Amino acid sequence: VFLKDAGTNKIGTIKLVREYTGLGLGEAKTLSETGGAIKENIEKKEAEEIVAKFKEAGATCEIK
C-alpha cells in the first residue's frame, strides 16, 4: 500500500501512518508529506482495508 497524498486531514493521515508503520511522529509526518510505502508484502484483503481507512481520512492511496 502506497500513500500518494495526505489530503486535507493531515493529522488523521499521520495518525494512520503511525498506526500501520509504527513510525514516530516526525517520521510519520515526513512520510505523509512526501508519500511512500505504508505496508508491503501483505494480502490483498488487508491492503484494501488499509486503503479504505486512508480514503476515509481523505488521503489518496493505491495498491501496487
Side-chain angles (χ1 to χ4, degrees):
V1 177
F2 290 87
L3 179 66
K4 294 177 83 177
D5 181 49
T8 57
N9 184 7
K10 292 187 190 311
I11 293 171
T13 302
I14 292 169
K15 286 180 182 179
L16 285 172
V17 169
R18 291 186 72 195
E19 177 183 336
Y20 287 110
T21 61
L23 294 173
L25 182 60
E27 294 91 355
K29 183 177 183 281
T30 301
L31 181 62
S32 295
E33 291 170 346
T34 60
I38 302 297
K39 278 232 177 207
E40 296 178 322
N41 301 321
I42 57 174
E43 292 185 27
K44 186 175 181 175
K45 183 178 178 183
E46 183 181 358
E48 289 170 348
E49 291 171 1
I50 293 170
V51 169
K53 284 195 175 188
F54 275 94
K55 284 186 180 180
E56 236 177 72
T60 306
C61 276
E62 66 179 13
I63 299 172
K64 287 191 177 183

